[in-house]
Amino acid sequence: MDAVTENPAVGATEVWEFYNTTVDAHPMHVHEVIFEVLNRQPIFVDETTQTVQVVPGSAVTPPEPWETGYKDTVLAYPGQVTRIRAQFKTPGQFVWHCHIVEHEDNEMMRPYRIGPEQPGQPMPGGGGGGGGSGGM
């Protein structure tokens, strides 16, 4: 039901970052694209200021051996930022979400749009995302 906050242009290549501030790993899935896992890095959550940042001077960890090549889901480890690079080729409105069943069942997802708005796309408050279910 939330408004679209990610809106890559058709054909754009973007690096997305998943900041996991929870104690659980989350299998993150982005509809309509395949992507490359770039790396991970530790994050620090400042409860006082409610901010999250990459730990200064921390080592960047490359993808796991099984994460090479193109993927549609990546495991976002707790206390880390996970970076992916995706090319957005197909115009339309889709979702990205966590593949934990309880999250999917509770429609925890984020809508995103590739390119401009098109006739018939769901709008905030009007029925949710257009590409699937689930979310973190």
Side-chain angles (χ1 to χ4, degrees):
M1 299 290 202
D2 290 334
V4 168
T5 53
E6 292 77 36
N7 185 203
V10 176
T13 299
E14 293 187 357
V15 173
W16 282 20
E17 297 180 321
F18 299 113
Y19 286 79
N20 186 351
T21 61
T22 73
V23 297
D24 299 312
H26 293 269
M28 300 306 297
H29 175 65
V30 183
H31 281 234
E32 205 56 39
V33 299
I34 55 174
F35 53 78
E36 296 172 279
V37 179
L38 296 178
N39 58 50
R40 293 179 176 87
Q41 203 166 358
I43 58 173
F44 171 73
V45 180
D46 186 332
E47 298 293 339
T48 305
T49 61
Q50 297 293 302
T51 59
V52 179
Q53 67 181 21
V54 173
V55 174
S58 62
V60 175
T61 306
E64 302 285 356
W66 60 86
E67 294 179 315
T68 59
Y70 290 101
K71 306 294 177 192
D72 67 0
T73 304
V74 64
L75 197 55
Y77 294 127
Q80 294 187 342
V81 57
T82 300
R83 296 181 183 95
I84 63 169
R85 178 177 36 236
Q87 187 173 27
F88 299 88
K89 298 179 180 180
T90 306
Q93 189 160 311
F94 310 100
V95 295
W96 60 274
H97 62 92
C98 174
H99 259 301
I100 293 176
V101 175
E102 292 82 8
H103 294 177
E104 292 184 33
D105 287 348
N106 290 295
E107 297 185 25
M108 296 166 68
M109 67 182 95
R110 288 289 314 151
Y112 80 97
R113 182 180 305 110
I114 301 173
E117 284 186 30
Q118 298 172 353
Q121 287 182 334
M123 299 306 293
S133 64
M136 187 164 120

